[in-house]
mmCIF file of all heavy atoms in Angstrom:
data_model
loop_
_atom_site.group_PDB
_atom_site.id
_atom_site.type_symbol
_atom_site.label_atom_id
_atom_site.label_comp_id
_atom_site.label_asym_id
_atom_site.label_seq_id
_atom_site.Cartn_x
_atom_site.Cartn_y
_atom_site.Cartn_z
ATOM 1 N N SER A 562 78.567 126.583 5.156
ATOM 2 C CA SER A 562 78.491 125.442 6.050
ATOM 3 C C SER A 562 77.237 125.545 6.901
ATOM 4 O O SER A 562 76.635 126.613 7.011
ATOM 5 C CB SER A 562 79.731 125.344 6.940
ATOM 6 O OG SER A 562 79.853 126.488 7.775
ATOM 7 N N GLY A 563 76.868 124.437 7.515
ATOM 8 C CA GLY A 563 75.678 124.380 8.337
ATOM 9 C C GLY A 563 74.764 123.256 7.897
ATOM 10 O O GLY A 563 75.164 122.351 7.165
ATOM 11 N N SER A 564 73.525 123.327 8.340
ATOM 12 C CA SER A 564 72.543 122.290 8.025
ATOM 13 C C SER A 564 71.930 122.564 6.661
ATOM 14 O O SER A 564 70.790 123.027 6.541
ATOM 15 C CB SER A 564 71.477 122.228 9.107
ATOM 16 O OG SER A 564 72.037 121.912 10.370
ATOM 17 N N ILE A 565 72.685 122.253 5.630
ATOM 18 C CA ILE A 565 72.298 122.564 4.254
ATOM 19 C C ILE A 565 71.899 121.288 3.526
ATOM 20 O O ILE A 565 72.672 120.334 3.467
ATOM 21 C CB ILE A 565 73.444 123.266 3.509
ATOM 22 C CG1 ILE A 565 73.798 124.586 4.197
ATOM 23 C CG2 ILE A 565 73.065 123.494 2.054
ATOM 24 C CD1 ILE A 565 75.051 125.235 3.661
ATOM 25 N N LEU A 566 70.714 121.306 2.969
ATOM 26 C CA LEU A 566 70.276 120.210 2.125
ATOM 27 C C LEU A 566 70.753 120.392 0.690
ATOM 28 O O LEU A 566 71.226 119.447 0.070
ATOM 29 C CB LEU A 566 68.755 120.084 2.160
ATOM 30 C CG LEU A 566 68.120 119.690 3.498
ATOM 31 C CD1 LEU A 566 66.602 119.743 3.389
ATOM 32 C CD2 LEU A 566 68.573 118.303 3.914
ATOM 33 N N ARG A 567 70.606 121.606 0.170
ATOM 34 C CA ARG A 567 71.003 121.910 -1.195
ATOM 35 C C ARG A 567 71.451 123.355 -1.267
ATOM 36 O O ARG A 567 70.933 124.215 -0.564
ATOM 37 C CB ARG A 567 69.847 121.705 -2.190
ATOM 38 C CG ARG A 567 69.376 120.284 -2.330
ATOM 39 C CD ARG A 567 68.301 120.171 -3.407
ATOM 40 N NE ARG A 567 67.123 120.985 -3.106
ATOM 41 C CZ ARG A 567 66.153 120.624 -2.297
ATOM 42 N NH1 ARG A 567 66.205 119.450 -1.674
ATOM 43 N NH2 ARG A 567 65.113 121.431 -2.093
ATOM 44 N N VAL A 568 72.413 123.614 -2.133
ATOM 45 C CA VAL A 568 72.833 124.968 -2.453
ATOM 46 C C VAL A 568 72.326 125.274 -3.858
ATOM 47 O O VAL A 568 72.744 124.633 -4.819
ATOM 48 C CB VAL A 568 74.357 125.123 -2.382
ATOM 49 C CG1 VAL A 568 74.762 126.539 -2.764
ATOM 50 C CG2 VAL A 568 74.869 124.772 -0.992
ATOM 51 N N ASN A 569 71.437 126.230 -3.962
ATOM 52 C CA ASN A 569 70.848 126.553 -5.250
ATOM 53 C C ASN A 569 71.639 127.621 -6.010
ATOM 54 O O ASN A 569 71.755 127.557 -7.230
ATOM 55 C CB ASN A 569 69.402 127.008 -5.087
ATOM 56 C CG ASN A 569 68.494 125.874 -4.670
ATOM 57 O OD1 ASN A 569 68.786 124.705 -4.891
ATOM 58 N ND2 ASN A 569 67.368 126.223 -4.058
ATOM 59 N N VAL A 570 72.148 128.601 -5.288
ATOM 60 C CA VAL A 570 72.891 129.700 -5.893
ATOM 61 C C VAL A 570 73.990 130.132 -4.940
ATOM 62 O O VAL A 570 73.777 130.201 -3.732
ATOM 63 C CB VAL A 570 71.996 130.917 -6.200
ATOM 64 C CG1 VAL A 570 72.806 132.030 -6.866
ATOM 65 C CG2 VAL A 570 70.812 130.538 -7.067
ATOM 66 N N MET A 571 75.161 130.440 -5.478
ATOM 67 C CA MET A 571 76.182 131.156 -4.731
ATOM 68 C C MET A 571 76.736 132.262 -5.620
ATOM 69 O O MET A 571 76.693 132.164 -6.847
ATOM 70 C CB MET A 571 77.310 130.244 -4.261
ATOM 71 C CG MET A 571 76.896 129.260 -3.183
ATOM 72 S SD MET A 571 78.314 128.498 -2.328
ATOM 73 C CE MET A 571 78.833 129.871 -1.270
ATOM 74 N N GLY A 572 77.241 133.297 -4.982
ATOM 75 C CA GLY A 572 77.785 134.387 -5.768
ATOM 76 C C GLY A 572 78.359 135.490 -4.930
ATOM 77 O O GLY A 572 78.624 135.318 -3.734
ATOM 78 N N TRP A 573 78.544 136.626 -5.583
ATOM 79 C CA TRP A 573 79.182 137.774 -4.968
ATOM 80 C C TRP A 573 78.439 139.049 -5.317
ATOM 81 O O TRP A 573 78.030 139.249 -6.466
ATOM 82 C CB TRP A 573 80.637 137.909 -5.436
ATOM 83 C CG TRP A 573 81.493 136.759 -5.032
ATOM 84 C CD1 TRP A 573 81.732 135.625 -5.744
ATOM 85 C CD2 TRP A 573 82.223 136.631 -3.812
ATOM 86 N NE1 TRP A 573 82.567 134.797 -5.044
ATOM 87 C CE2 TRP A 573 82.886 135.378 -3.860
ATOM 88 C CE3 TRP A 573 82.383 137.444 -2.698
ATOM 89 C CZ2 TRP A 573 83.691 134.937 -2.817
ATOM 90 C CZ3 TRP A 573 83.191 136.997 -1.662
ATOM 91 C CH2 TRP A 573 83.832 135.761 -1.736
ATOM 92 N N TYR A 574 78.268 139.896 -4.316
ATOM 93 C CA TYR A 574 77.800 141.258 -4.476
ATOM 94 C C TYR A 574 78.874 142.187 -3.937
ATOM 95 O O TYR A 574 79.762 141.769 -3.198
ATOM 96 C CB TYR A 574 76.486 141.489 -3.729
ATOM 97 C CG TYR A 574 75.270 140.870 -4.388
ATOM 98 C CD1 TYR A 574 75.118 139.494 -4.469
ATOM 99 C CD2 TYR A 574 74.264 141.676 -4.918
ATOM 100 C CE1 TYR A 574 74.007 138.926 -5.062
ATOM 101 C CE2 TYR A 574 73.148 141.119 -5.509
ATOM 102 C CZ TYR A 574 73.024 139.742 -5.576
ATOM 103 O OH TYR A 574 71.903 139.197 -6.163
ATOM 104 N N ARG A 575 78.789 143.461 -4.281
ATOM 105 C CA ARG A 575 79.738 144.423 -3.753
ATOM 106 C C ARG A 575 79.037 145.736 -3.448
ATOM 107 O O ARG A 575 77.987 146.047 -4.015
ATOM 108 C CB ARG A 575 80.907 144.656 -4.711
ATOM 109 C CG ARG A 575 80.543 145.326 -6.027
ATOM 110 C CD ARG A 575 81.750 145.336 -6.963
ATOM 111 N NE ARG A 575 81.455 146.010 -8.222
ATOM 112 C CZ ARG A 575 82.277 146.048 -9.261
ATOM 113 N NH1 ARG A 575 83.470 145.455 -9.192
ATOM 114 N NH2 ARG A 575 81.922 146.687 -10.368
ATOM 115 N N GLN A 576 79.646 146.516 -2.540
ATOM 116 C CA GLN A 576 79.042 147.761 -2.108
ATOM 117 C C GLN A 576 80.124 148.768 -1.742
ATOM 118 O O GLN A 576 81.107 148.428 -1.089
ATOM 119 C CB GLN A 576 78.127 147.524 -0.907
ATOM 120 C CG GLN A 576 77.311 148.733 -0.494
ATOM 121 C CD GLN A 576 76.249 148.366 0.525
ATOM 122 O OE1 GLN A 576 76.405 147.410 1.277
ATOM 123 N NE2 GLN A 576 75.169 149.124 0.546
ATOM 124 N N THR A 577 79.922 150.012 -2.177
ATOM 125 C CA THR A 577 80.770 151.125 -1.795
ATOM 126 C C THR A 577 79.923 152.138 -1.045
ATOM 127 O O THR A 577 78.688 152.164 -1.201
ATOM 128 C CB THR A 577 81.426 151.787 -3.014
ATOM 129 O OG1 THR A 577 80.411 152.214 -3.935
ATOM 130 C CG2 THR A 577 82.356 150.817 -3.723
ATOM 131 N N PRO A 578 80.538 152.999 -0.220
ATOM 132 C CA PRO A 578 79.755 153.977 0.535
ATOM 133 C C PRO A 578 78.884 154.844 -0.365
ATOM 134 O O PRO A 578 79.343 155.349 -1.395
ATOM 135 C CB PRO A 578 80.819 154.812 1.242
ATOM 136 C CG PRO A 578 81.974 153.880 1.389
ATOM 137 C CD PRO A 578 81.968 153.047 0.138
ATOM 138 N N GLY A 579 77.628 154.995 0.014
ATOM 139 C CA GLY A 579 76.705 155.817 -0.739
ATOM 140 C C GLY A 579 76.056 155.137 -1.922
ATOM 141 O O GLY A 579 75.258 155.769 -2.625
ATOM 142 N N LYS A 580 76.386 153.888 -2.165
ATOM 143 C CA LYS A 580 75.813 153.162 -3.282
ATOM 144 C C LYS A 580 75.071 151.930 -2.781
ATOM 145 O O LYS A 580 75.352 151.399 -1.711
ATOM 146 C CB LYS A 580 76.895 152.723 -4.272
ATOM 147 C CG LYS A 580 77.600 153.846 -4.997
ATOM 148 C CD LYS A 580 78.633 153.309 -5.968
ATOM 149 C CE LYS A 580 78.009 152.430 -7.035
ATOM 150 N NZ LYS A 580 79.022 151.904 -7.998
ATOM 151 N N GLU A 581 74.118 151.479 -3.585
ATOM 152 C CA GLU A 581 73.422 150.240 -3.282
ATOM 153 C C GLU A 581 74.340 149.053 -3.514
ATOM 154 O O GLU A 581 75.251 149.103 -4.339
ATOM 155 C CB GLU A 581 72.179 150.097 -4.161
ATOM 156 C CG GLU A 581 71.095 151.111 -3.912
ATOM 157 C CD GLU A 581 69.870 150.863 -4.768
ATOM 158 O OE1 GLU A 581 69.938 150.020 -5.679
ATOM 159 O OE2 GLU A 581 68.846 151.502 -4.521
ATOM 160 N N ARG A 582 74.078 147.999 -2.777
ATOM 161 C CA ARG A 582 74.784 146.765 -3.027
ATOM 162 C C ARG A 582 74.393 146.246 -4.412
ATOM 163 O O ARG A 582 73.205 146.183 -4.747
ATOM 164 C CB ARG A 582 74.449 145.737 -1.952
ATOM 165 C CG ARG A 582 75.263 144.467 -2.019
ATOM 166 C CD ARG A 582 74.988 143.551 -0.827
ATOM 167 N NE ARG A 582 75.359 144.186 0.434
ATOM 168 C CZ ARG A 582 75.280 143.583 1.619
ATOM 169 N NH1 ARG A 582 74.844 142.333 1.697
ATOM 170 N NH2 ARG A 582 75.632 144.244 2.715
ATOM 171 N N GLU A 583 75.382 145.869 -5.204
ATOM 172 C CA GLU A 583 75.130 145.451 -6.567
ATOM 173 C C GLU A 583 75.658 144.054 -6.822
ATOM 174 O O GLU A 583 76.666 143.632 -6.252
ATOM 175 C CB GLU A 583 75.761 146.426 -7.570
ATOM 176 C CG GLU A 583 77.272 146.471 -7.528
ATOM 177 C CD GLU A 583 77.866 147.349 -8.610
ATOM 178 O OE1 GLU A 583 77.113 147.870 -9.453
ATOM 179 O OE2 GLU A 583 79.108 147.517 -8.608
ATOM 180 N N LEU A 584 74.977 143.364 -7.699
ATOM 181 C CA LEU A 584 75.408 142.034 -8.092
ATOM 182 C C LEU A 584 76.706 142.110 -8.874
ATOM 183 O O LEU A 584 76.867 142.954 -9.756
ATOM 184 C CB LEU A 584 74.325 141.357 -8.934
ATOM 185 C CG LEU A 584 74.600 139.937 -9.416
ATOM 186 C CD1 LEU A 584 73.307 139.135 -9.458
ATOM 187 C CD2 LEU A 584 75.235 139.949 -10.812
ATOM 188 N N VAL A 585 77.636 141.210 -8.558
ATOM 189 C CA VAL A 585 78.865 141.051 -9.329
ATOM 190 C C VAL A 585 78.754 139.826 -10.221
ATOM 191 O O VAL A 585 78.897 139.914 -11.437
ATOM 192 C CB VAL A 585 80.096 140.944 -8.420
ATOM 193 C CG1 VAL A 585 81.357 140.738 -9.246
ATOM 194 C CG2 VAL A 585 80.229 142.187 -7.548
ATOM 195 N N ALA A 586 78.503 138.681 -9.611
ATOM 196 C CA ALA A 586 78.391 137.438 -10.368
ATOM 197 C C ALA A 586 77.726 136.381 -9.512
ATOM 198 O O ALA A 586 77.878 136.372 -8.289
ATOM 199 C CB ALA A 586 79.766 136.943 -10.827
ATOM 200 N N THR A 587 76.997 135.487 -10.154
ATOM 201 C CA THR A 587 76.400 134.347 -9.475
ATOM 202 C C THR A 587 76.560 133.099 -10.327
ATOM 203 O O THR A 587 76.729 133.174 -11.540
ATOM 204 C CB THR A 587 74.900 134.545 -9.186
ATOM 205 O OG1 THR A 587 74.185 134.719 -10.412
ATOM 206 C CG2 THR A 587 74.665 135.741 -8.278
ATOM 207 N N VAL A 588 76.489 131.952 -9.674
ATOM 208 C CA VAL A 588 76.452 130.670 -10.356
ATOM 209 C C VAL A 588 75.416 129.808 -9.653
ATOM 210 O O VAL A 588 75.358 129.775 -8.418
ATOM 211 C CB VAL A 588 77.846 129.998 -10.381
ATOM 212 C CG1 VAL A 588 78.401 129.795 -8.978
ATOM 213 C CG2 VAL A 588 77.794 128.685 -11.145
ATOM 214 N N ASN A 589 74.573 129.130 -10.425
ATOM 215 C CA ASN A 589 73.556 128.293 -9.812
ATOM 216 C C ASN A 589 73.951 126.819 -9.865
ATOM 217 O O ASN A 589 75.009 126.459 -10.383
ATOM 218 C CB ASN A 589 72.180 128.546 -10.442
ATOM 219 C CG ASN A 589 72.069 128.083 -11.880
ATOM 220 O OD1 ASN A 589 72.906 127.340 -12.391
ATOM 221 N ND2 ASN A 589 71.007 128.521 -12.545
ATOM 222 N N SER A 590 73.086 125.978 -9.308
ATOM 223 C CA SER A 590 73.405 124.559 -9.198
ATOM 224 C C SER A 590 73.530 123.876 -10.549
ATOM 225 O O SER A 590 74.140 122.804 -10.640
ATOM 226 C CB SER A 590 72.348 123.843 -8.355
ATOM 227 O OG SER A 590 71.057 123.984 -8.929
ATOM 228 N N GLY A 591 72.969 124.462 -11.587
ATOM 229 C CA GLY A 591 73.117 123.938 -12.930
ATOM 230 C C GLY A 591 74.360 124.408 -13.642
ATOM 231 O O GLY A 591 74.589 124.033 -14.798
ATOM 232 N N GLY A 592 75.158 125.250 -12.988
ATOM 233 C CA GLY A 592 76.376 125.763 -13.579
ATOM 234 C C GLY A 592 76.196 127.021 -14.402
ATOM 235 O O GLY A 592 77.154 127.510 -15.008
ATOM 236 N N ASN A 593 74.993 127.560 -14.422
ATOM 237 C CA ASN A 593 74.744 128.786 -15.164
ATOM 238 C C ASN A 593 75.293 129.984 -14.407
ATOM 239 O O ASN A 593 75.108 130.098 -13.198
ATOM 240 C CB ASN A 593 73.256 128.974 -15.406
ATOM 241 C CG ASN A 593 72.647 127.828 -16.183
ATOM 242 O OD1 ASN A 593 71.799 127.096 -15.662
ATOM 243 N ND2 ASN A 593 73.067 127.662 -17.418
ATOM 244 N N THR A 594 75.939 130.885 -15.119
ATOM 245 C CA THR A 594 76.550 132.058 -14.509
ATOM 246 C C THR A 594 75.871 133.328 -14.972
ATOM 247 O O THR A 594 75.277 133.395 -16.054
ATOM 248 C CB THR A 594 78.047 132.129 -14.824
ATOM 249 O OG1 THR A 594 78.234 132.163 -16.249
ATOM 250 C CG2 THR A 594 78.775 130.923 -14.256
ATOM 251 N N ASN A 595 75.985 134.342 -14.134
ATOM 252 C CA ASN A 595 75.432 135.656 -14.425
ATOM 253 C C ASN A 595 76.433 136.692 -13.937
ATOM 254 O O ASN A 595 76.911 136.606 -12.809
ATOM 255 C CB ASN A 595 74.084 135.830 -13.728
ATOM 256 C CG ASN A 595 73.414 137.142 -14.063
ATOM 257 O OD1 ASN A 595 73.510 137.624 -15.181
ATOM 258 N ND2 ASN A 595 72.712 137.712 -13.090
ATOM 259 N N TYR A 596 76.751 137.674 -14.798
ATOM 260 C CA TYR A 596 77.737 138.689 -14.475
ATOM 261 C C TYR A 596 77.173 140.082 -14.684
ATOM 262 O O TYR A 596 76.389 140.318 -15.611
ATOM 263 C CB TYR A 596 78.977 138.559 -15.358
ATOM 264 C CG TYR A 596 79.776 137.298 -15.174
ATOM 265 C CD1 TYR A 596 79.541 136.183 -15.965
ATOM 266 C CD2 TYR A 596 80.789 137.232 -14.224
ATOM 267 C CE1 TYR A 596 80.285 135.026 -15.806
ATOM 268 C CE2 TYR A 596 81.539 136.085 -14.059
ATOM 269 C CZ TYR A 596 81.281 134.986 -14.853
ATOM 270 O OH TYR A 596 82.029 133.838 -14.697
ATOM 271 N N ALA A 597 77.607 140.998 -13.834
ATOM 272 C CA ALA A 597 77.347 142.397 -14.103
ATOM 273 C C ALA A 597 78.103 142.821 -15.359
ATOM 274 O O ALA A 597 79.201 142.331 -15.638
ATOM 275 C CB ALA A 597 77.792 143.257 -12.924
ATOM 276 N N ASP A 598 77.510 143.735 -16.123
ATOM 277 C CA ASP A 598 78.163 144.193 -17.346
ATOM 278 C C ASP A 598 79.555 144.765 -17.074
ATOM 279 O O ASP A 598 80.464 144.615 -17.898
ATOM 280 C CB ASP A 598 77.308 145.249 -18.038
ATOM 281 C CG ASP A 598 76.072 144.672 -18.693
ATOM 282 O OD1 ASP A 598 76.026 143.444 -18.921
ATOM 283 O OD2 ASP A 598 75.146 145.451 -18.990
ATOM 284 N N SER A 599 79.727 145.387 -15.931
ATOM 285 C CA SER A 599 80.980 146.047 -15.614
ATOM 286 C C SER A 599 82.143 145.082 -15.391
ATOM 287 O O SER A 599 83.300 145.506 -15.407
ATOM 288 C CB SER A 599 80.817 146.937 -14.382
ATOM 289 O OG SER A 599 80.414 146.181 -13.260
ATOM 290 N N VAL A 600 81.850 143.800 -15.176
ATOM 291 C CA VAL A 600 82.915 142.834 -14.902
ATOM 292 C C VAL A 600 83.013 141.746 -15.954
ATOM 293 O O VAL A 600 83.929 140.912 -15.883
ATOM 294 C CB VAL A 600 82.761 142.195 -13.509
ATOM 295 C CG1 VAL A 600 82.635 143.271 -12.433
ATOM 296 C CG2 VAL A 600 81.567 141.246 -13.468
ATOM 297 N N LYS A 601 82.109 141.719 -16.915
ATOM 298 C CA LYS A 601 82.155 140.698 -17.954
ATOM 299 C C LYS A 601 83.476 140.750 -18.704
ATOM 300 O O LYS A 601 83.950 141.817 -19.082
ATOM 301 C CB LYS A 601 80.992 140.881 -18.931
ATOM 302 C CG LYS A 601 79.644 140.465 -18.374
ATOM 303 C CD LYS A 601 78.538 140.664 -19.401
ATOM 304 C CE LYS A 601 77.198 140.243 -18.848
ATOM 305 N NZ LYS A 601 76.093 140.499 -19.797
ATOM 306 N N GLY A 602 84.065 139.585 -18.910
ATOM 307 C CA GLY A 602 85.334 139.495 -19.594
ATOM 308 C C GLY A 602 86.533 139.665 -18.695
ATOM 309 O O GLY A 602 87.660 139.382 -19.119
ATOM 310 N N ARG A 603 86.318 140.113 -17.467
ATOM 311 C CA ARG A 603 87.417 140.315 -16.520
ATOM 312 C C ARG A 603 87.333 139.379 -15.311
ATOM 313 O O ARG A 603 88.362 138.923 -14.817
ATOM 314 C CB ARG A 603 87.447 141.762 -16.030
ATOM 315 C CG ARG A 603 87.653 142.786 -17.133
ATOM 316 C CD ARG A 603 87.897 144.174 -16.564
ATOM 317 N NE ARG A 603 86.745 144.648 -15.788
ATOM 318 C CZ ARG A 603 86.777 144.957 -14.494
ATOM 319 N NH1 ARG A 603 87.920 144.834 -13.817
ATOM 320 N NH2 ARG A 603 85.700 145.394 -13.876
ATOM 321 N N PHE A 604 86.117 139.120 -14.839
ATOM 322 C CA PHE A 604 85.909 138.276 -13.664
ATOM 323 C C PHE A 604 85.345 136.925 -14.092
ATOM 324 O O PHE A 604 84.576 136.834 -15.061
ATOM 325 C CB PHE A 604 84.923 138.918 -12.691
ATOM 326 C CG PHE A 604 85.414 140.163 -12.001
ATOM 327 C CD1 PHE A 604 86.594 140.794 -12.375
ATOM 328 C CD2 PHE A 604 84.672 140.709 -10.963
ATOM 329 C CE1 PHE A 604 87.027 141.941 -11.730
ATOM 330 C CE2 PHE A 604 85.096 141.851 -10.311
ATOM 331 C CZ PHE A 604 86.262 142.471 -10.692
ATOM 332 N N THR A 605 85.691 135.886 -13.342
ATOM 333 C CA THR A 605 85.170 134.556 -13.580
ATOM 334 C C THR A 605 84.709 133.949 -12.263
ATOM 335 O O THR A 605 85.474 133.910 -11.300
ATOM 336 C CB THR A 605 86.217 133.642 -14.223
ATOM 337 O OG1 THR A 605 86.669 134.218 -15.458
ATOM 338 C CG2 THR A 605 85.627 132.262 -14.508
ATOM 339 N N ILE A 606 83.469 133.475 -12.231
ATOM 340 C CA ILE A 606 82.940 132.820 -11.046
ATOM 341 C C ILE A 606 82.903 131.316 -11.287
ATOM 342 O O ILE A 606 82.638 130.854 -12.399
ATOM 343 C CB ILE A 606 81.546 133.363 -10.676
ATOM 344 C CG1 ILE A 606 81.123 132.868 -9.291
ATOM 345 C CG2 ILE A 606 80.507 133.017 -11.736
ATOM 346 C CD1 ILE A 606 79.901 133.586 -8.746
ATOM 347 N N SER A 607 83.169 130.553 -10.245
ATOM 348 C CA SER A 607 83.140 129.102 -10.336
ATOM 349 C C SER A 607 82.797 128.521 -8.980
ATOM 350 O O SER A 607 82.874 129.210 -7.957
ATOM 351 C CB SER A 607 84.477 128.545 -10.831
ATOM 352 O OG SER A 607 85.523 128.881 -9.941
ATOM 353 N N SER A 608 82.412 127.251 -8.962
ATOM 354 C CA SER A 608 82.084 126.566 -7.722
ATOM 355 C C SER A 608 82.623 125.153 -7.769
ATOM 356 O O SER A 608 82.918 124.616 -8.846
ATOM 357 C CB SER A 608 80.576 126.556 -7.476
ATOM 358 O OG SER A 608 79.894 125.877 -8.508
#
């Protein structure tokens, strides 16, 4: 929310102690999705 003209990408990252924040999944305004290999087939992102 806020003064948004367009949303180009939304998604999720995750982080555990001692590790870098890593991409989980994203979806862009065209509906294209991107998943980490570790979650493919198990997680689904949508908007």
Side-chain angles (χ1 to χ4, degrees):
S562 62
S564 299
I565 299 171
L566 295 175
R567 295 184 300 278
V568 178
N569 290 337
V570 181
M571 291 195 76
W573 297 91
Y574 286 67
R575 66 187 182 187
Q576 188 169 27
T577 57
K580 294 181 61 180
E581 294 183 350
R582 187 174 298 183
E583 65 175 356
L584 181 146
V585 178
T587 61
V588 58
N589 68 14
S590 59
N593 301 115
T594 58
N595 184 36
Y596 295 93
D598 287 342
S599 60
V600 307
K601 286 180 180 177
R603 299 189 298 119
F604 292 9
T605 302
I606 191 168
S607 61
S608 61

